[in-house]
């Protein structure tokens, strides 16, 4: 499926905004977006950093989840999957077309990957996932989402999707913790 997305256009006009600090975002875009941010501690030291960085750059932030996933192919096409309405009652699986966005952050003690939504996705937005190491040696994972409804139907259901979006990003954090902390044991 991911390979078939290569010709699709973005469903919004703010591609790359996830790479900008919040105070530099164009105000006409920032006002219209729901921002969700989650940060979790993944451990301390070089081993935690190496495992977390590798998992992020290999797009493994949903490894171990039974109800959510991110699939990426070599062309940069990305498909996110989630069980709806809730992981315990998966009545339906949604496939969401996206494309990798190059945030060019893979140096020193910080690396980042991200994607933006394409036509066919009910939500218009971008998500970035980062791993960074603080001066104290603490290794953290952060998910940052900026989004809005993509079309008339997407705008109508967008308010109801807030919990689903939040659950999807919290699952990324849980999976990254399990990957890194589980590997350190």
């Amino acid at each position: 499926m991911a390979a078939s997305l290569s010709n699709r256009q973005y469903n919004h006009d703010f591609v790359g905004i996830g790479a900008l600090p919040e105070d530099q975002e164009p105000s006409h875009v920032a006002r219209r977006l729901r921002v969700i941010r989650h940060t979790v501690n993944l451990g301390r030291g070089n081993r935690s950093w190496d495992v977390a960085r590798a998992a992020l750059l290999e797009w493994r932030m949903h490894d171990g989840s039974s109800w959510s996933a991110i699939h990426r192919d070599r062309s940069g096409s990305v498909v996110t999957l989630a069980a709806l309405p809730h992981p315990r009652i998966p009545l339906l699986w949604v496939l969401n077309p996206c494309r990798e966005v190059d945030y060019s952050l893979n140096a020193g003690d910080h690396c980042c990957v991200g994607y933006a939504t394409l036509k066919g996705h009910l939500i218009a937005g971008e998500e970035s996932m980062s791993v960074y190491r603080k001066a104290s040696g603490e290794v953290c994972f952060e998910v940052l989402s900026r989004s809005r409804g993509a079309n008339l139907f997407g705008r109508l259901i967008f308010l109801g999707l807030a919990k689903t979006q939040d659950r999807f990003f919290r699952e990324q954090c849980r999976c990254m913790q399990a990957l890194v902390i589980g590997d350190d044991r």
Side-chain angles (χ1 to χ4, degrees):
M1 161 95 176
S4 69
L5 304 175
S6 60
N7 293 328
R8 288 198 191 183
Q9 300 298 314
Y10 293 108
N11 65 355
H12 54 84
D13 60 357
F14 50 95
V15 175
I17 196 165
L20 295 174
E22 289 180 36
D23 62 345
Q24 293 180 16
E25 292 176 357
S27 60
H28 71 283
V29 172
R31 280 192 304 266
R32 300 182 296 163
L33 301 178
R34 172 188 297 147
V35 176
I36 300 173
R37 181 187 306 249
H38 290 288
T39 305
V40 294
N41 184 311
L42 299 178
R44 235 183 217 336
N46 290 336
R47 181 144 175 74
S48 292
W49 168 253
D50 292 342
V51 172
R53 185 177 171 279
L56 180 76
L57 294 175
E58 294 166 5
W59 290 75
R60 295 176 43 219
M61 61 282 296
H62 279 274
D63 279 12
S65 178
S66 63
W67 66 270
S68 66
I70 294 178
H71 295 286
R72 179 182 160 267
D73 73 7
R74 289 187 178 143
S75 75
S77 295
V78 176
V79 176
T80 63
L81 292 94
L84 296 177
H86 192 276
R88 292 190 191 109
I89 339 168
L91 300 177
L92 148 83
W93 282 81
V94 292
L95 302 169
N96 304 303
C98 304
R99 182 172 302 121
E100 184 176 350
V101 176
D102 180 11
Y103 291 136
S104 299
L105 292 173
N106 183 14
D109 289 336
H110 188 203
C111 64
C112 180
V113 297
Y115 56 84
T117 57
L118 302 175
K119 290 191 188 284
H121 197 307
L122 291 176
I123 295 173
E126 299 180 16
E127 282 79 42
S128 64
M129 290 75 56
S130 301
V131 173
Y132 58 91
R133 184 167 30 187
K134 296 180 178 179
S136 65
E138 180 182 7
V139 178
C140 297
F141 174 70
E142 180 178 87
V143 178
L144 176 60
S145 168
R146 293 178 173 101
S147 61
R148 60 176 166 77
N151 51 37
L152 180 59
F153 183 64
R155 287 189 291 276
L156 288 172
I157 67 167
F158 187 64
L159 290 176
L161 292 176
K163 285 183 180 182
T164 301
Q165 275 188 294
D166 191 62
R167 189 180 310 117
F168 183 82
F169 300 128
R170 280 185 287 122
E171 180 72 351
Q172 283 186 356
C173 291
R174 185 197 67 76
C175 289
M176 283 294 285
Q177 280 184 314
L179 279 168
V180 177
I181 294 170
D183 196 279
D184 279 351
R185 292 182 182 160

